[in-house]
Amino acid sequence: MAVRTRSRTSLTTIVLVVWLLIGVAAAFQRGYFGSSEPSCSRVGSAALTIIAGPLNYLGLDPEIGCSVPQPSD
């Protein structure tokens, strides 16, 4: 029983790592890791793209629009 659980855990880990690597590749292709200054929406969109993984190649294009409060003068 323990061997079966271990192999299932290993398979789940491998699938998860491959899923996230595909998401990183999609985020890289969309230019989220470029040299421009990071912003709330850029970081959020990159994170969602990574989490979406292979779904990016099925037409999903997750984007976040957010704004950071500006200090008053």
Side-chain angles (χ1 to χ4, degrees), residues 26-27 29-32 39-52 55-56 59-67:
Q29 288 175 345
R30 292 187 178 153
Y32 290 132
S39 66
C40 174
S41 60
R42 185 177 178 100
V43 171
S45 295
L48 271 180
T49 299
I50 292 170
I51 291 170
L55 299 177
N56 289 288
L60 184 68
D61 187 12
E63 292 183 0
I64 289 183
C66 58
S67 60

Side-chain angles (χ1 to χ4, degrees), residues 21-39:
L21 286 174
I22 292 170
V24 168
F28 182 76
Q29 288 175 345
R30 292 187 178 153
Y32 290 132
F33 302 124
S35 62
S36 66
E37 188 174 322
S39 66

